[in-house]
Structures are given as C-alpha cells and as structure tokens.
Amino acid sequence: MNISFVNNKFIAHCLYEEHAVLKEVGFNWDMEMKRWVTDDIRTAEKLIGYCDEGALYQINWRKNQEKQQIADSSKTESDFQVKHPINIKPFPYQLAGVEYMMKRKAVLLADAPGLGKTGQTLLCMNMRPNVEAIIVCPSVIKMNWLKEARKWLIGDILAYIYEPKKIRYYKGSNTPDEKKTTLHIINYELLKKHLDRLKRVNCNLIVIDEAHKAKNKDSIRSKLIKELSQKAFYKILITGTPIYNKPKDLYALLNILSPSLFKDFFSFAKRYCAPEKVWTGKQSITKYDGASNMDELNTILRSNFMIRRLKEDVLKDLPKKMRSVITLEESSLVPLVKKEKETLEQLKNNTNRLKEQIEKMKEYAGKGNEDWDKKYKSMVKELKESKMMGIGEISKIRHELAVKKVPYVADFVREQLEGSESNSRIVVFAHHTDVCESLMKELEEYHPTLIIGSTKSNERQQAIAKFANPYHNRDNKCRVFIGSMGACSTGVDGLQKHCNTVVFAELDWTPSTVEQAEDRLQRIGQKNTVWVYHVVADQSLDSKIAKMLVDKNEVSHKILDAGVETAQIFNNVLSGKI
C-alpha cells in the first residue's frame, strides 16, 4: 500500500485485500478515480507508515497549522485594530475574538456566558462593509440586541424588530463614519411567520444567538435556520455551551456552519455519539445518546471555526462587578407601563401645583396672620400626604408590573442556564413575596430554593445548603436560589462560593437594598467577576433606575446615593431627575 497527496486529497494505491483496512480507518471509495481517498489528516495519519514524502509533508504542515488555529481559538490578548465608537474600549480578549472571527466565513462563538459575545459580533460588523444581517435570538433578548447595536456599531444603523403583528424599525447614527449596518432582529418563534420576507432580505450575515435552541436537527426551527443560513456569506452561531453531554445535539449547528465537513448525521453519530444497539422488545434500534472521541471533535471544532474562552481565562481583564439591563418590550407589559407613566405625570402636575401655591403663601405666612399660617401648614401637609399617596400608587403599579414580568424573567434565567455549563447556578432577587413564589413555580425544573420574610431560621440554612450542594440528590439538582431582597439583606452567606450571576426580577425603591443584594455574591470567597442583570420593562420606572445603577456615573451616584431614602428617590422621580 502507498498513500500519496494529490489535488488536496490523500489517495491510497493498494491491493484488493487491503480495502478493508482503508474502509475501517475512514477512507472513502471515489467512483471517478477508482481509488480510496480522504481529505482528513486524522484519517490519513492512522496509516502514516504507508504515506510517501508528499503525504507526510502535508500531514505535518496541516498539523502545525491546526496547532496554531487551536491556540488562536483560546487566545485572550491581541493588538488587532478594531473599529469602534470612541466611548467604547473592548477588552483584549474581545480583540482576539474579533481577529479570529474575521479570518473565517463561519464561526461558532462559544465564549462562556457574560464575556460579551454580542459585542464581539457587532465589532465584526464594523469591520465589514455595509452589513445586512439577520439576527435570530430568544424573544427576551431581542431589545438587548438593539441596545447593544447602538452601543457598539459605527456609522448609520437601521434595525427592523420583528413582532407578531408588525415590524418596528429604528434608524440612527452612532458615529460620522460612512458606513451603514442593517439588522433584522427576530425571535425563534416568529421565523415561520416572517420567513418569506426574510428570504427576500439581501442578507450577507446571519447570526444565531443562543444557538443551542436549534439543536434538534429534525425540528422546524432548525430547518428554517438552515434554509436562511444557506444564502448568507458569513455565519456566526453563538452559544455558551458548544459541547453537550450528548454530541448528537451539536450536529444540527455544525451542519449549518459547515455542511461539507459535517455532511450527514449518521457518519457523525457513528464517530462521536457512542452508538448503542437497544432491544425494545419488538426490534433492535440504535441509540445515539452517548459521547465518544470528544478530544478529536474538540480539535476539529477549534481548528476550524470555534472560539472559546472561559471566565477564568480572562479574569484579569474584567472588573469585580459587571451590570447589564435586559429590556423587555412585550406587548402584555405595555398597558401597565402606560398606566405607570400616566400616574407619574398626574402626580408631577399635582406636586407642581401644590409647590407653586406654597411658594405664594410664603410671602404671608409667619407674619401674624393665623389664617394664612393655617392655610400654609395645611398646604405643606397636603403636599407631604400627596407624595406618600403617590409612592403608594406607583408602588402598586410597579408590583403589578413585576408580577406580569415573571414569565419573561424566568425565560431569561432559563436562557442563562441553558447557555452555561451544566453545573452553573443563578441567584434571583425580587422585592415582593408573591413574585418570588411565582418564580419558584416558573423555574421548578431547576428545583429552586427560596428565602422570603416568613422563612424560619433553620429553613434558611437548609435553603442555602441545598443551593451550595445541588447534587446531594441526583434527581433534585438545585440550580436556582430565589430570595426577597429584604429577607436576604443579612444572614445569608455562602452563595458567593457557588455562584457569580444574579438576576433582579424587580427593584426596590432604595438603591442600597439592591446593592446589598448584589453583595450577597460580591464578598469574601468570590473568585470571579459577579454578573448582575436587571430585567425591566421598556420605558418603565424600573428601567430608568436600573440604567442609572448600571451607569454609576457621578451624577447618577448623587441621585441614587446609597443612603437616600424612598421619599427622596420619589422626589427625584417627580422632579424628572430619574
């Protein structure tokens, strides 16, 4: 037997009785050439003793290239020059990510959750001329893509947001650069409804965020994404968990990225899914629920299109705490947001009217006229009472909105957990007891633990212990801790050793309460950056407070000072500072 390398293929010249060996190691019969061939160096390397000088050179050269590509796929530093708005400073590992992505038409962006995969994707768009991209993502982060686009993109931006009954659009300009980026942002559930329109889009890039949602190769969702991706010159699939316990779940994504490398499921499954024959009682079937040759699969992914860095790889670049606002624009939330706005406007008008009257009375009050003094004191009392009633009215609406948001908050938590390693955990804080209890029901598949005001002392410790040791019961793997901010402000320690992600389902009036809740994770024993997410309804009061908490600039710090009381915060709301 002799193996040579011609026209990018390893070609075997052999005797008939040697065919079985070639077939066994993975060579394929080429009908035109009448030879056994392969373009895979791993297959050729298995018979390296039969390779001639040309084939040996190719194997060694390709292996060296592969080593470099694998190194690049986990690179955390780069001096690659990236175009971005002047108020943005990408982390070194993000520059390395963009450099890797710019060299490829298809990319599996698999950085750990929280490392800014959205930002890296948008930076890539800055580097390519006149991008028109289709972005498929979960509904709960659709508006976050628009928010991030306005932060990271240069030049003119035109974004279409696909909704069930309409398509909204945003048009703006970030920088004076002569560049235009068009985005079509749609959630998975609406793909079928808007497919014909999307197929008419002159798309040169498709981005699939939380791509593991398309892992079922036989699902309509996966087939629609594959159909859309075929017309895109560039493809970026984003997921925090690229290698699953069941590699079969990875095949659909790989087939989208590289149909030529991953041609058919059964060849993939035979090699990487540890096929097992099972007798059902009536017939023998082959199951592909296992995992095999995972090191080889990881090498193929990293050397071709996967970039993956973990949080511990880039910890030196990150601050101790990273805050983000996740904005919801769900139609079911709009009436309550409108009600909140109208109520606030009425309260502002009433407050301004009373203040004007009090100012006029100041001229006559305290000058010996008892009637004017009584009227003045009465008016001041009315103003205070009006504000207290206002706090009550707005608090009631905020409560209603928090309850209405629960399914969307649960969806976001679910996305974070599904997009993370299987042992990852999340802490969720809310203000109201019924919101906490509703979240318990919505997230029951993660066997959450709960601490609220009525939780007894011994039960609190049991709840913390359950979260700290989620695998003490194999059928009850606790991955979510849910707590009310008030009940968890003291006496709750140990969460920081097992988790570094916190999600706020709603906000308290007092910023110090929110910061104390954040610091349940940012304390001694925490070895990682703490990731803080505020899930808010668009244009709501919570969204404005959350944005100021996240910005933490000098002005917002004065407005939301940690020592400020509820009444003072409400005054800032009425004066328009919030």
Side-chain angles (χ1 to χ4, degrees):
M1 185 189 304
N2 177 62
I3 299 175
S4 59
F5 186 80
V6 180
N7 295 330
N8 290 321
K9 291 183 183 293
F10 294 95
I11 303 172
H13 306 267
C14 62
L15 301 174
Y16 178 80
E17 52 268 27
E18 294 172 318
H19 288 186
V21 176
L22 291 162
K23 186 176 181 180
E24 178 65 25
V25 299
F27 275 74
N28 298 305
W29 179 253
D30 189 299
M31 296 293 291
E32 292 183 9
M33 298 176 65
K34 306 294 184 185
R35 288 283 186 270
W36 289 90
V37 303
T38 183
D39 55 7
D40 182 13
I41 63 166
R42 278 164 290 277
T43 300
E45 194 177 13
K46 292 172 185 175
L47 298 175
I48 197 167
Y50 298 99
C51 292
D52 64 17
E53 288 187 7
L56 284 171
Y57 174 82
Q58 279 298 323
I59 290 173
N60 291 328
W61 183 81
R62 288 194 184 188
K63 285 184 73 175
N64 288 333
Q65 288 287 103
E66 191 176 77
K67 285 179 183 178
Q68 183 58 53
Q69 290 164 348
I70 290 171
D72 289 345
S73 75
S74 56
K75 194 175 175 183
T76 58
E77 292 187 2
S78 173
D79 56 3
F80 187 64
Q81 298 298 306
V82 173
K83 298 175 183 177
H84 58 81
I86 57 173
N87 60 325
I88 293 295
K89 186 179 180 182
F91 292 117
Y93 71 85
Q94 291 178 314
L95 298 177
V98 176
E99 182 180 16
Y100 179 92
M101 294 163 73
M102 289 300 296
K103 295 175 182 177
R104 290 161 175 81
K105 293 180 181 178
V107 175
L108 179 60
L109 180 52
D111 284 342
L115 294 191
K117 295 186 284 291
T118 303
Q120 292 176 73
T121 302
L122 292 165
L123 287 174
C124 280
M125 295 185 196
N126 286 344
M127 302 297 288
R128 293 193 167 113
N130 298 328
V131 169
E132 182 153 10
I134 293 174
I135 299 171
V136 184
C137 63
S139 174
V140 73
I141 59 174
K142 219 163 35 174
M143 292 310 299
N144 191 59
W145 265 99
L146 177 59
K147 185 189 78 172
E148 292 295 298
R150 295 171 65 181
K151 174 182 175 182
W152 292 90
L153 290 179
I154 61 172
D156 297 330
I157 306 169
L158 177 60
Y160 296 94
I161 314 296
Y162 289 70
E163 302 289 357
K165 295 182 179 179
K166 61 181 179 180
I167 299 173
R168 293 184 295 108
Y169 77 92
Y170 163 85
K171 188 176 183 180
S173 183
N174 264 12
T175 66
D177 297 79
E178 292 186 6
K179 185 183 187 307
K180 181 181 178 182
T181 303
T182 304
L183 307 176
H184 299 263
I185 306 172
I186 185 169
N187 53 298
Y188 287 94
E189 294 79 7
L190 297 180
L191 279 174
K192 188 174 181 180
K193 179 179 179 64
H194 293 292
L195 182 64
D196 289 339
R197 178 185 171 89
L198 291 171
K199 285 166 74 174
R200 293 194 298 271
V201 168
N202 188 24
C203 164
N204 48 24
L205 166 66
I206 187 165
V207 178
I208 312 298
D209 196 3
E210 302 293 351
H212 50 271
K213 283 189 162 292
K215 66 185 181 182
N216 183 350
K217 65 181 179 64
D218 298 317
S219 68
I220 294 174
R221 174 181 293 177
S222 180
K223 291 174 180 176
L224 291 174
I225 289 172
K226 184 174 181 180
E227 185 177 350
L228 279 176
S229 68
Q230 287 173 347
K231 63 179 293 186
F233 190 78
Y234 297 107
K235 306 171 193 175
I236 299 176
L237 271 60
I238 303 173
T239 177
T241 50
I243 302 287
Y244 299 90
N245 293 329
K246 296 180 180 180
K248 72 174 184 181
D249 292 338
L250 187 59
Y251 172 78
L253 309 187
L254 301 183
N255 181 250
I256 291 169
L257 283 169
S258 181
S260 59
L261 190 58
F262 298 96
K263 297 175 184 176
D264 69 279
F265 172 72
F266 292 105
S267 297
F268 175 87
K270 182 181 177 182
R271 183 68 184 162
Y272 303 113
C273 301
E276 179 186 9
K277 287 194 177 293
V278 178
W279 178 253
T280 64
K282 295 182 179 180
Q283 60 180 342
S284 177
I285 62 170
T286 303
K287 298 187 74 174
Y288 299 99
D289 294 328
S292 52
N293 301 304
M294 294 308 291
D295 287 342
E296 177 184 295
L297 180 57
N298 190 55
T299 297
I300 292 172
L301 297 186
R302 283 192 174 276
S303 62
N304 283 281
F305 41 66
M306 184 178 84
I307 181 166
R308 178 163 173 79
R309 282 77 54 89
L310 303 177
K311 287 176 182 175
E312 53 264 33
D313 298 331
V314 301
L315 202 57
K316 62 181 177 57
D317 293 333
L318 300 175
K320 291 182 178 179
K321 194 182 288 183
M322 295 280 282
R323 295 182 175 98
S324 295
V325 178
I326 305 302
T327 305
L328 304 172
E329 278 210 2
E330 307 300 330
S331 57
S332 62
L333 304 178
V334 172
L336 280 172
V337 173
K338 184 180 178 182
K339 182 180 177 182
E340 184 184 63
K341 279 184 177 180
E342 290 173 349
T343 304
L344 272 174
E345 193 60 36
Q346 290 172 6
L347 290 169
K348 283 180 184 178
N349 292 337
N350 190 46
T351 299
N352 291 335
R353 177 183 60 81
L354 289 170
K355 280 184 174 180
E356 286 176 8
Q357 292 177 357
I358 289 169
E359 283 298 317
K360 289 178 181 178
M361 287 185 175
K362 273 185 180 180
E363 295 179 31
Y364 307 101
K367 294 182 178 180
N369 188 322
E370 291 185 10
D371 289 339
W372 278 108
D373 288 349
K374 284 181 181 179
K375 286 180 180 179
Y376 178 77
K377 289 178 182 177
S378 175
M379 198 68 70
V380 170
K381 182 181 178 182
E382 186 181 347
L383 177 61
K384 289 180 180 178
E385 289 175 350
S386 174
K387 286 182 180 179
M388 291 307 296
M389 287 179 62
I391 291 173
E393 287 181 50
I394 293 298
S395 295
K396 183 180 177 182
I397 298 171
R398 290 178 78 192
H399 184 188
E400 291 176 36
L401 194 51
V403 171
K404 199 78 171 177
K405 279 192 325 185
V406 165
Y408 307 112
V409 174
D411 280 346
F412 178 75
V413 172
R414 208 171 280 117
E415 294 298 336
Q416 294 298 302
L417 290 171
E418 290 180 6
S420 305
E421 302 296 341
S422 59
N423 62 346
S424 65
R425 282 163 271 182
I426 285 181
V427 170
V428 184
F429 283 123
H431 176 59
H432 295 94
T433 296
D434 57 347
V435 175
C436 292
E437 291 172 341
S438 296
L439 284 165
M440 283 287 288
K441 293 177 183 176
E442 287 282 342
L443 295 166
E444 61 182 353
E445 71 262 41
Y446 301 109
H447 306 284
T449 187
L450 174 70
I451 291 182
I452 52 178
S454 61
T455 306
K456 296 177 182 177
S457 179
N458 64 319
E459 292 173 343
R460 288 165 69 96
Q461 296 310 311
Q462 289 172 8
I464 295 169
K466 179 182 175 182
F467 184 71
N469 183 24
Y471 302 109
H472 69 288
N473 183 340
R474 292 182 65 183
D475 298 321
N476 185 19
K477 298 177 181 178
C478 173
R479 297 183 66 189
V480 178
F481 175 95
I482 298 171
S484 67
M485 285 178 267
C488 295
S489 60
T490 58
V492 176
D493 194 19
L495 302 180
Q496 74 276 15
K497 296 177 182 178
H498 311 284
C499 175
N500 67 326
T501 302
V502 56
V503 175
F504 284 89
E506 57 176 332
L507 292 176
D508 187 85
W509 273 110
T510 313
S512 59
T513 303
V514 178
E515 292 190 346
Q516 284 174 3
E518 289 180 1
D519 289 341
R520 293 299 98 196
L521 297 186
Q522 182 57 59
R523 57 202 298 116
I524 294 172
Q526 180 58 263
K527 297 179 181 179
N528 299 301
T529 294
V530 172
W531 304 86
V532 181
Y533 297 99
H534 295 284
V535 183
V536 298
D538 188 39
Q539 300 298 314
S540 66
L541 182 55
D542 268 15
S543 72
K544 296 172 184 177
I545 295 174
K547 187 178 185 302
M548 298 189 86
L549 282 168
V550 169
D551 288 346
K552 270 297 183 183
N553 55 37
E554 187 176 347
V555 175
S556 66
H557 185 72
K558 288 178 181 177
I559 296 170
L560 296 176
D561 188 87
V564 172
E565 296 297 325
T566 301
Q568 290 173 281
I569 293 291
F570 191 66
N571 282 338
N572 287 329
V573 170
L574 293 179
S575 65
K577 293 179 181 177
I578 296 179

